[in-house]
Every structure is written in structure tokens, then in C-alpha cells.
């Protein structure tokens, strides 16, 4: 491989993360806010996983997929937020070269996994609305495991490919990252090596990874809409909204903020808009998922109520 024969390794041993664009006097408030959001994300998504594990009525394809999405959201936030909080608290903004590359790998992995899981969940909603009589036959346990395992596999391959290509590049003088985490596109701008191969792979392979799940989601909801409009009624529309509403909200929030950051980047020199968009899909969206899927979901609220009553009864 050509990167094995290049001038050994990068001369940069660490990078400097500039973090959030905030004033020093705002640091305490922002730290408390992000700590609260992160704890809410972790505890809320852990609660979803726990409820699905403990309540046998939630052992269905939809909740099986939701438990993996909850785990992915915990991981996505945990890759970036703790480091950002430590840097904000200690003012030590450095991150080792290996740590930065590792952060990029896991960030790409779980961002891509979210992408695939949202597509699989859209297919699950399509079967539930368009083929309700065949739902248990189509969404059998074996297929669900296969779809999730495939999502994990392709996410790992996607992350590994871009991380290996990045590790072949050299970083010379500038090691300042104007972000709160190591972002692949930012590092490609910092390198003093030729990035044509990286950009080509990012455009073709990365574009496919983003386009195919989005197409699956769009196709699923077009079919759902066509099925509802075939015999329109208020009852059918309300049922479809209760079935798909939570997933649609998360899809719009996730892809909307992702598009703001990567597909419609800032035209001026300021990166504030990009950082805000990154905060939305790495911090805010994972926090909102538990509220979106739990507070509006009768089965989840019922399971939470039963477990709470059982704990009170056991305590007595």
C-alpha cells in the first residue's frame, strides 16, 4: 500500500480542539447545560434499552430496532461530549493523534449506524402499515437480526475505510481544529498531503452510504402515503401518524442537521453554523430520541408504569 511507503508518519503528535465558540464568562453555564443534556441522553436511552429488555410485550421488531438505535445514540454522544466537557473544564484542548483518529473512526461508525437503523426502521413501519396481515411473517426474528448485523458490518467497513485513508496522510504545521471534536472533513483541510483519493472515496462511497438509506426511507414513506390515500379516512391517517410520527420526527431532525453541516456548509469564514448543526445531531438529537419514542408511545409508558409499580411493591 502506498501509505506504507510514505514518509513514515505524521509529524503532528497531537491536535488542538478549539471547542465551542463561547465567551469565557459563559463557560460555566454552557458546561452545566451540556453536562445535563449528556446525562439525560445516556439515562434516557439506557431506560429505553432496560424497558425493552424487561418487558416481554416490547419484544417486537420495532422495539428491537429501537434498542439498537438507543445504544448507537449513547455511543455517538459519548464519543464527542465527554471530551468536550473535559476540555471546557480544564482548558486542556489537546487531543493525541491516535485519540483523534480513534474518535473519527467511532464517530463515523455510529453516525453511519444511525443512518442504516433509521432506514431499517422505515422499512419496518412500511410493512406495519402497508402489509399489516403479513407483518409477523415478513419481520421475523431472523430477518431483524440480519438487518441489524448488516447495518453494523457496513458501518464498521465504512468507518474503517475512511480512517485508514486518513491515517495515510501527513499533518505538518497546522494542528488546530476549529471544532469541538475531530471531524473528517476538517482534518482533510489541515493535511499537507494530497487528498484527492480521500475526497473521491468520500464523494462516491460516502455518498452511496448516505443516499441508499435516505432512498429507502423516502421510498417507504411514499408507499405508506399511497396506501393511506388509497382509502383515505381520519382513522387511518391518525393510526399511521401514531405508528410513524416518532420515526418521521427523528428522521427529519437527524438528516436536517446533517445536511446543514455537510451538504450546505457555511459560505462565509465563520464555522458557527456548522458547529451548531454538529451539536444538534451529536448532542440534541440523541437526547430527544427517548422523549420522542417514549412520551408519545403508549406501550413504553405502560411498561414504565408497570416496572415502577413493581419496584414500589417489592420495596414494601
Amino acid at each position: 500500500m502506498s501509505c506504507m511507503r510514505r514518509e513514515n508518519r505524521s509529524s503532528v503528535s497531537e491536535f488542538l480542539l478549539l471547542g465551542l465558540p463561547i465567551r469565557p464568562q459563559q463557560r460555566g453555564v454552557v458546561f452545566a447545560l451540556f453536562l445535563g443534556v449528556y446525562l439525560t441522553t445516556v439515562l434516557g436511552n439506557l431506560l429505553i434499552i432496560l424497558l425493552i429488555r424487561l418487558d416481554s410485550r416490547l419484544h417486537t421488531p420495532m422495539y428491537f430496532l429501537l434498542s439498537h438505535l438507543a445504544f448507537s445514540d449513547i455511543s455517538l454522544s459519548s464519543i464527542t461530549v465527554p471530551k468536550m466537557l473535559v476540555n471546557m473544564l480544564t482548558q486542556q484542548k489537546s487531543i493525541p493523534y491516535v485519540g483523534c483518529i480513534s474518535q473519527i473512526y467511532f464517530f463515523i461508525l455510529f453516525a453511519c449506524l444511525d443512518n442504516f437503523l433509521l432506514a431499517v426502521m422505515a422499512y419496518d413501519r412500511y410493512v406495519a402499515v402497508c402489509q399489516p396481515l403479513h407483518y409477523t411473517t415478513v419481520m421475523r426474528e431472523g430477518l431483524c437480526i440480519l438487518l441489524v448485523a448488516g447495518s453494523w458490518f457496513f458501518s464498521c467497513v465504512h468507518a474503517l475505510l475512511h480512517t485508514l485513508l486518513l491515517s495515510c496522510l501527513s499533518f505538518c504545521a497546522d494542528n488546530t481544529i476549529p471544532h469541538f471534536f475531530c471531524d473528517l472533513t476538517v482534518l482533510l483541510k489541515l493535511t499537507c498531503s494530497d487528498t484527492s483519493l480521500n475526497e473521491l472515496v468520500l464523494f462516491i462511497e460516502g455518498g452511496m452510504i448516505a443516499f441508499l438509506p435516505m432512498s429507502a426511507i423516502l421510498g417507504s414513506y411514499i408507499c405508506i402515503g399511497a396506501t393511506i390515500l388509497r382509502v383515505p379516512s381520519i382513522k387511518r391517517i391518525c393510526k399511521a401518524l401514531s405508528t410513524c410520527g416518532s420515526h418521521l420526527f427523528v428522521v427529519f431532525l437527524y438528516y436536517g442537521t446533517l445536511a446543514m453541516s455537510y451538504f450546505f456548509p457555511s459560505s462565509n469564514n465563520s464555522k458557527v453554523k456548522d458547529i451548531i448543526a454538529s451539536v444538534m445531531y451529536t448532542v440534541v438529537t440523541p437526547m430527544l430520541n427517548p422523549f420522542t419514542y417514549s412520551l408519545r408511545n403508549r406501550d413504553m409508558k405502560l411498561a414504565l408504569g408497570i416496572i415502577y409499580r413493581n419496584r414500589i411493591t417489592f420495596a414494601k
Side-chain angles (χ1 to χ4, degrees), residues 22-285:
I22 56 174
R23 297 186 181 95
Q25 59 268 30
Q26 298 173 328
R27 195 174 297 126
V29 175
V30 174
F31 176 84
L33 176 64
F34 275 91
L35 179 61
V37 169
Y38 176 65
L39 292 176
T40 303
T41 299
V42 173
L43 295 176
N45 283 290
L46 281 177
L47 180 62
I48 285 181
I49 296 171
L50 184 66
L51 288 176
I52 293 172
R53 291 281 295 175
L54 294 179
D55 196 325
S56 59
R57 287 169 302 177
L58 300 180
H59 293 174
T60 63
M62 183 180 77
Y63 292 111
F64 173 72
L65 297 172
L66 179 57
S67 65
H68 281 270
L69 182 67
F71 175 78
S72 180
D73 284 337
I74 293 172
S75 304
L76 188 62
S77 281
S78 298
I79 291 160
T80 57
V81 179
K83 177 61 179 172
M84 179 184 69
L85 293 175
V86 169
N87 289 358
M88 201 180 297
L89 190 65
T90 63
Q91 288 299 293
Q92 295 292 326
K93 298 186 176 184
S94 63
I95 180 171
Y97 174 83
V98 174
C100 189
I101 297 296
S102 301
Q103 189 181 60
I104 287 176
Y105 171 79
F106 287 107
F107 178 80
I108 295 174
L109 167 61
F110 289 108
C112 186
L113 182 61
D114 262 15
N115 199 23
F116 280 121
L117 288 175
L118 288 173
V120 174
M121 292 174 76
Y123 176 70
D124 172 76
R125 296 301 82 203
Y126 156 75
V127 177
V129 174
C130 300
Q131 303 179 38
L133 299 178
H134 303 286
Y135 180 76
T136 53
T137 306
V138 175
M139 295 302 295
R140 58 192 183 278
E141 183 181 1
L143 178 62
C144 292
I145 293 173
L146 183 64
L147 289 172
V148 170
S151 299
W152 275 95
F153 174 77
F154 286 111
S155 298
C156 289
V157 171
H158 174 65
L160 186 61
L161 173 63
H162 289 287
T163 307
L164 288 176
L165 286 174
L166 181 65
S167 66
C168 293
L169 303 178
S170 294
F171 296 89
C172 305
D174 191 4
N175 67 336
T176 303
I177 300 175
H179 219 306
F180 63 92
F181 69 97
C182 292
D183 184 67
L184 177 62
T185 56
V186 176
L187 261 72
L188 289 179
K189 295 175 183 176
L190 293 181
T191 181
C192 49
S193 301
D194 179 25
T195 61
S196 55
L197 178 60
N198 301 70
E199 291 170 356
L200 180 64
V201 173
L202 187 62
F203 178 75
I204 297 176
E205 190 268 348
M208 287 179 60
I209 290 292
F211 177 75
L212 292 177
M214 286 177 65
S215 300
I217 293 170
L218 185 62
S220 296
Y221 278 106
I222 288 174
C223 292
I224 289 171
T227 301
I228 295 169
L229 295 176
R230 199 171 297 147
V231 188
S233 70
I234 299 298
K235 184 179 178 181
R236 282 171 66 90
I237 293 173
C238 290
K239 186 176 180 181
L241 285 175
S242 67
T243 303
C244 307
S246 300
H247 181 258
L248 264 177
F249 175 78
V250 172
V251 166
F252 279 123
L253 189 62
Y254 179 79
Y255 283 108
T257 53
L258 209 61
M260 279 176 60
S261 183
Y262 292 104
F263 296 103
F264 306 105
S266 300
S267 56
N268 54 23
N269 292 329
S270 175
K271 299 298 179 183
V272 174
K273 190 186 81 171
D274 296 341
I275 292 176
I276 292 173
S278 299
V279 167
M280 287 296 293
Y281 74 80
T282 60
V283 182
V284 178
T285 302

